Amino acid sequence: MSVIETTPSREGLPLLVIPNCVPVMVKAFRALLPEFDGLCRVRLFTDTMLDEEILARRMKGADAVIVVGFHVSDDLLKTLSQTVRCIAFGGTGVDNYVNLDKAQEYGIRICNIVHYGDAAVAEHAIALLMEITRRVGEMNADMHEGEWQPLDGMELCGKTMGIVGFGGIGQWVARIAHGFGMHVKVWSHHAHDEAMQQIEATSVDSIHELFESSDVVSLHLAYNKHTEGIITADDLAALREGSILINTARAELIEMGALAQRLEKGDIYAGLDVFDTEPMPEMDPLRVAPNTILTPHAAWCTDQAVHNAVRQCVDSIRGFYTGTATNVVV
């Protein structure tokens, strides 16, 4: 762990603390630190610490903080409220990470980032799908072991892609699927008539209908109190033999334990980038589930998406110090 500080001797300036950091974001934050010159001091911790007590000590005395990858409990929020007046989150679904009502009660501005990685996440969803259907990684490993054995694949052209949620990421996935020659079906809370027409997508009335009529289902809903567990065991049971489920959104969208149980039957496939507990526990049943491709919540992790995320965090904090509003949620 190292600590990067700017103008530490200028104690008259307010203090911005970044109490931990994903390794791939450190370089991006360092490149933008000069934008805070004259506005605030910055204290950037470059490790991935998640211990709440340590994080609280690191943020002591801060006027603003940037939160990357940890939940702010009600107790921690109360502690921070003694000095902190702005929290910028390095993600979109902030209501999963902080009690927004309490933040408003304490007078703390909450900011998030939006559409920073739509293309990145969509491409990763398709990468998971392609690994399942064409098994490139598996054949590459075999080749490096000296084998020469072509493996059967699944052709996507003519298949049906079902998309749950049709925001920025869902629309990217739909366009790619359409480019493959797939038929696209969509279930969404909101109407997106123009985007649907562009790719000749059709709308369905229920998630259950989407699951039972699609060859591939890709999840792209935001996670909140209304969408928690929205995918039920009954929905998963409706998947036909050979169907594929892709989840680069949130694990909590699926009823707890239902996916592992469904995969045990061995007749469907899954490509998963998100999990109920992260990092994923060693004994998580999904680690040994058949027909499953797993990645460690990496869909967002591209050079451009990282830059976009850090850029928006910096802009939110600069807005706070200069009296403007950028990506303000509360």
Side-chain angles (χ1 to χ4, degrees):
M1 184 272 293
S2 63
V3 183
I4 299 167
E5 295 193 70
T6 64
T7 57
S9 62
R10 298 187 62 182
E11 294 187 1
L13 287 176
L15 174 64
L16 164 66
V17 175
I18 308 170
N20 70 347
C21 196
V22 178
V24 296
M25 300 178 84
V26 173
K27 181 179 179 181
F29 271 120
R30 293 190 68 166
L32 294 180
L33 290 182
E35 298 201 16
F36 294 114
D37 288 352
L39 289 177
C40 64
R41 296 171 288 144
V42 181
R43 189 175 299 151
L44 165 62
F45 294 83
T46 62
D47 63 343
T48 56
M49 173 58 62
L50 295 176
D51 182 272
E52 185 170 294
E53 290 187 8
I54 295 175
L55 292 171
R57 288 200 297 270
R58 291 178 176 184
M59 292 183 283
K60 186 176 182 179
D63 305 275
V65 299
I66 295 176
V67 170
V68 179
F70 67 90
H71 289 77
V72 178
S73 70
D74 287 354
D75 287 342
L76 179 56
L77 185 64
K78 184 176 181 179
T79 299
L80 295 179
S81 70
Q82 297 174 28
T83 60
V84 171
R85 288 295 170 263
C86 181
I87 299 176
F89 279 81
T92 300
V94 295
D95 52 348
N96 310 318
Y97 287 86
V98 64
N99 186 325
L100 297 182
D101 291 335
K102 285 190 175 295
Q104 189 168 32
E105 178 185 329
Y106 294 141
I108 301 175
R109 175 187 288 194
I110 305 292
C111 306
N112 69 346
I113 57 179
V114 295
H115 300 298
Y116 70 97
D118 287 357
V121 177
E123 290 171 9
H124 194 86
I126 296 300
L128 290 169
L129 175 60
M130 295 300 293
E131 181 57 36
I132 290 169
T133 58
R134 299 312 303 263
R135 304 166 70 180
V136 171
E138 189 176 346
M139 286 188 282
N140 173 65
D142 289 345
M143 289 286 286
H144 283 285
E145 292 295 323
E147 297 186 24
W148 183 279
Q149 181 59 52
L151 300 177
D152 292 339
M154 177 194 300
E155 195 164 311
L156 292 172
C157 183
K159 299 292 193 303
T160 297
M161 166 69 84
I163 297 179
V164 181
F166 206 56
I169 299 170
Q171 291 181 31
W172 267 104
V173 170
R175 287 192 290 269
I176 298 171
H178 180 68
F180 283 162
M182 301 184 76
H183 308 293
V184 178
K185 292 185 176 183
V186 174
W187 179 88
S188 175
H189 287 298
H190 309 288
H192 300 276
D193 294 340
E194 183 177 349
M196 298 270 287
Q197 290 172 4
Q198 289 176 354
I199 57 172
E200 301 175 343
T202 58
S203 177
V204 299
D205 294 330
S206 70
I207 290 176
H208 194 82
E209 179 184 348
L210 189 79
F211 270 67
E212 65 184 3
S213 63
S214 300
D215 301 293
V216 181
V217 176
S218 194
L219 306 185
H220 300 290
L221 278 177
Y223 169 61
N224 54 49
K225 62 183 179 181
H226 303 294
T227 60
E228 182 175 2
I230 196 170
I231 309 298
T232 67
D234 285 343
D235 295 325
L236 296 174
L239 290 170
R240 303 188 298 255
E241 181 178 350
S243 297
I244 300 167
L245 177 69
I246 303 295
N247 192 1
T248 54
R250 288 295 175 90
E252 295 90 342
L253 296 174
I254 302 174
E255 182 182 334
M256 179 71 74
L259 180 56
Q261 185 175 2
R262 180 66 180 87
L263 286 166
E264 285 179 2
K265 293 182 64 177
D267 65 336
I268 66 167
Y269 300 83
L272 308 175
D273 187 55
V274 289
F275 308 93
D276 290 313
T277 301
E278 296 181 358
M280 190 182 192
E282 184 177 349
M283 300 305 292
D284 192 306
L286 289 173
R287 285 192 184 272
V288 294
N291 304 329
T292 306
I293 300 296
L294 310 176
T295 54
H297 205 147
W300 67 278
C301 196
T302 68
D303 53 354
Q304 188 59 50
V306 167
H307 171 78
N308 292 343
V310 171
R311 173 78 268 171
Q312 290 188 47
C313 286
V314 169
D315 288 347
S316 292
I317 297 297
R318 281 180 52 82
F320 168 68
Y321 284 126
T322 59
T324 60
T326 301
N327 292 347
V328 174
V329 178
V330 170

